[in-house]
Amino acid sequence: MQLRYSFRMYPNGPQRSALARAFGCARVVFNDALRARETARTAGLLFVTSGELSKRVTAAKKTEERAWLAEVSSVVLQQSLRDLDTAYRNFFDGLRGKRPRMGAPRFKSRKDNRQSIRFTANARWKITTGGDLCLPKIGDVRVKWSRNLPSTPSTVTVIKDAAGRYFCSFVVETEAQALPNTADQVGIDLGLSHFAILSDGTKIESPRFLRRAEKKLKREQRRLSRKAKGSNNRTKARLKVARAHAKVTDARREFHHQLSTKIIRDNQAVAVEDLAVKALARTRMAKSVHDAGWSAFLAMLEYKAARYGRTFRRIGRFEPTSQVCSQCGVKDGPKPLSVRVWKCQACDVWLDRDSNAAVNVAKAAGLAVSACRARASRGPVPAQREEAGTHRDGQSTVVGISSL
């Protein structure tokens, strides 16, 4: 299987200038090629092929207007054309129903949050004996190697993010590393007051990284709004905002990695619910849903299960996991989010809503789990404020929940 390894880069002043030149040249080639194809489409002409676009790039280097394209590696320009082909292919596949629909290719801007270029083996890049990354027409760039690459990569992608940080990304082929078998199996119910509830009764608190950083983010964004557009101070303020967001993103990703690795290591089979995250992100809980990052977490669980020889299963999103008693299997009907503990009318057992749902997820996936952890000994209690939803503008209290 293929895995991506990313490492932080620390280019010096001249190297940052060379990278900025390479980013700009790749962007211009992409936009010129896209404009050529759109012009041909508008005029009713045939689709401009990749071979023809490559010839036009070579010819453009000999003109006065585009002579500076020769200052960067030609591989970077050719890979920019490949990126345009990929964008068109994904667009057409979406129209044919082969993949989810996506928009047509769009022009790139120098103000985009993410800039990237790619070097293949033809560019003759290499990792030096001193641990630097040697890139053509850029030089030996210092890299912070946090781990070893499992195999020799054929390409490297250099990325600059919105916070001004540089990364080198490698896609390498790796072999499955099966972990020792274990008898444990688990179902997972994802939530907002608790990030994850396992069928064995374990509840993982939600870190709420964005919520915790909101005060600092608001302060930096207010400072940014006061700066004059186009000024150097506005650029500095924008970087501070981007760095604050990057810290939140990095902390969330680290939490996802640690939790997903622990679950995969401790369980032979994992079952989750196929959540409609896009639909939930259009509700009043949108900020909390985005802060949780469910989709990224489930993607980590899936690829780690494949890598370490574990079983990963998704159940349908319309499975009534919160309506069925995990003890007797009787469907008791839908319940509002305010009900966290409920009593089964058939077997008179008090059930914890989240633990019961996690057990039902595991059972729906065909896993053998015990339902004893879903039992509770208290009556219905109101939901956590964060899970019940945000307040309407001007509303200071919610029925049953005092204002904070």
Side-chain angles (χ1 to χ4, degrees):
M1 62 182 301
Q2 288 186 336
L3 291 179
R4 181 176 296 276
Y5 285 71
S6 295
F7 304 93
R8 183 78 180 271
M9 294 175 57
Y10 296 90
N12 56 30
Q15 291 170 349
R16 287 195 296 269
S17 299
L19 286 171
R21 187 182 306 111
F23 292 143
C25 291
R27 183 177 62 250
V28 167
V29 168
F30 183 94
N31 290 342
D32 286 349
L34 177 57
R35 187 178 295 107
R37 286 183 171 174
E38 288 299 306
T39 302
R41 182 185 64 84
T42 305
L45 302 177
L46 294 176
F47 186 80
V48 183
T49 63
S50 300
E52 176 62 25
L53 291 176
S54 180
K55 293 179 181 178
R56 295 187 184 185
V57 171
T58 303
K61 293 180 182 180
K62 302 177 182 179
T63 63
E64 184 177 354
E65 294 79 7
R66 293 285 190 265
W68 36 267
L69 290 177
E71 298 178 4
V72 302
S73 173
S74 60
V75 173
V76 170
L77 309 182
Q78 295 299 322
Q79 291 302 307
S80 186
L81 296 179
R82 302 297 174 270
D83 291 341
L84 179 61
D85 288 339
T86 301
Y88 269 104
R89 188 181 307 110
N90 293 339
F91 171 62
F92 291 136
D93 287 346
L95 295 179
R96 299 187 186 102
K98 296 182 179 179
R99 58 167 296 147
R101 285 206 171 196
M102 60 184 306
R106 296 182 296 179
F107 292 100
K108 293 184 177 182
S109 171
R110 63 182 179 86
K111 297 182 180 180
D112 289 342
N113 290 334
R114 184 179 182 276
Q115 304 282 349
S116 66
I117 54 175
R118 186 167 59 254
F119 297 91
T120 63
N122 294 334
R124 297 182 180 180
W125 63 271
K126 64 178 180 179
I127 299 175
T128 64
T129 55
D132 293 338
L133 180 62
C134 180
L135 299 174
K137 297 190 177 181
I138 294 175
D140 296 347
V141 185
R142 186 165 62 92
V143 178
K144 180 66 174 180
W145 301 100
S146 55
R147 51 184 173 172
N148 296 326
L149 291 172
S151 61
T152 303
S154 59
T155 63
V156 57
T157 302
V158 179
I159 303 167
K160 179 184 178 183
D161 66 3
R165 302 178 301 178
Y166 293 86
F167 297 89
C168 56
S169 177
F170 306 89
V171 176
V172 297
E173 290 285 344
T174 60
E175 297 181 357
Q177 304 172 1
L179 294 174
N181 291 337
T182 176
D184 295 331
Q185 300 178 343
V186 69
I188 304 175
D189 179 64
L190 298 177
L192 295 179
S193 57
H194 292 88
F195 177 78
I197 301 90
L198 309 186
S199 58
D200 62 2
T202 304
K203 293 187 176 182
I204 295 102
E205 293 292 335
S206 179
R208 297 189 182 93
F209 295 106
L210 181 61
R211 296 285 187 181
R212 285 160 46 189
E214 274 187 325
K215 185 175 181 180
K216 180 178 181 180
L217 287 171
K218 288 180 180 179
R219 180 175 66 250
E220 297 298 341
Q221 286 167 344
R222 281 196 297 266
R223 291 174 178 173
L224 173 62
S225 65
R226 298 189 186 107
K227 301 297 187 291
K229 291 186 178 181
S231 65
N232 290 333
N233 285 336
R234 185 177 180 86
T235 301
K236 296 176 184 178
R238 184 196 62 77
L239 284 176
K240 289 184 178 180
V241 172
R243 287 167 185 159
H245 279 287
K247 287 183 179 180
V248 173
T249 302
D250 293 343
R252 184 187 298 114
R253 185 186 301 111
E254 181 68 15
F255 168 74
H256 287 166
H257 272 297
Q258 291 182 0
L259 179 58
S260 59
T261 300
K262 183 179 186 303
I263 292 175
I264 293 298
R265 183 184 293 116
D266 296 343
N267 298 277
Q268 186 66 31
V270 179
V272 299
E273 187 177 5
D274 186 17
L275 297 174
V277 178
K278 288 185 177 179
L280 291 171
R282 291 194 291 267
T283 64
R284 294 191 303 171
M285 301 181 290
K287 184 180 288 188
S288 296
V289 170
H290 287 302
D291 191 12
W294 292 330
S295 295
F297 175 70
L298 295 182
M300 290 181 186
L301 278 177
E302 187 169 10
Y303 89 77
K304 289 180 182 180
R307 184 183 185 188
Y308 296 113
R310 302 306 199 197
T311 301
F312 179 83
R313 296 175 183 172
R314 292 178 186 259
I315 67 169
R317 64 184 59 172
F318 298 109
E319 193 75 26
T321 55
S322 298
Q323 304 177 25
V324 176
C325 174
S326 58
Q327 301 288 328
C328 63
V330 173
K331 187 176 180 180
D332 205 15
K335 302 163 189 65
L337 285 176
S338 59
V339 177
R340 310 312 302 168
V341 177
W342 57 283
K343 182 180 180 181
C344 177
Q345 301 300 322
C347 61
D348 293 333
V349 174
W350 285 100
L351 299 167
D352 179 272
R353 180 192 182 107
D354 297 327
S355 298
N356 179 74
V359 173
N360 286 330
V361 168
K363 288 185 174 181
L367 306 185
V369 296
S370 173
C372 61
R373 295 284 188 170
R375 295 182 180 180
S377 60
R378 58 174 185 252
V381 295
Q384 293 289 332
R385 182 173 178 177
E386 293 81 358
E387 186 161 348
T390 56
H391 293 174
R392 294 186 293 270
D393 295 341
Q395 182 178 352
S396 58
T397 59
V398 173
V399 176
I401 305 177
S402 59
S403 59
L404 297 179

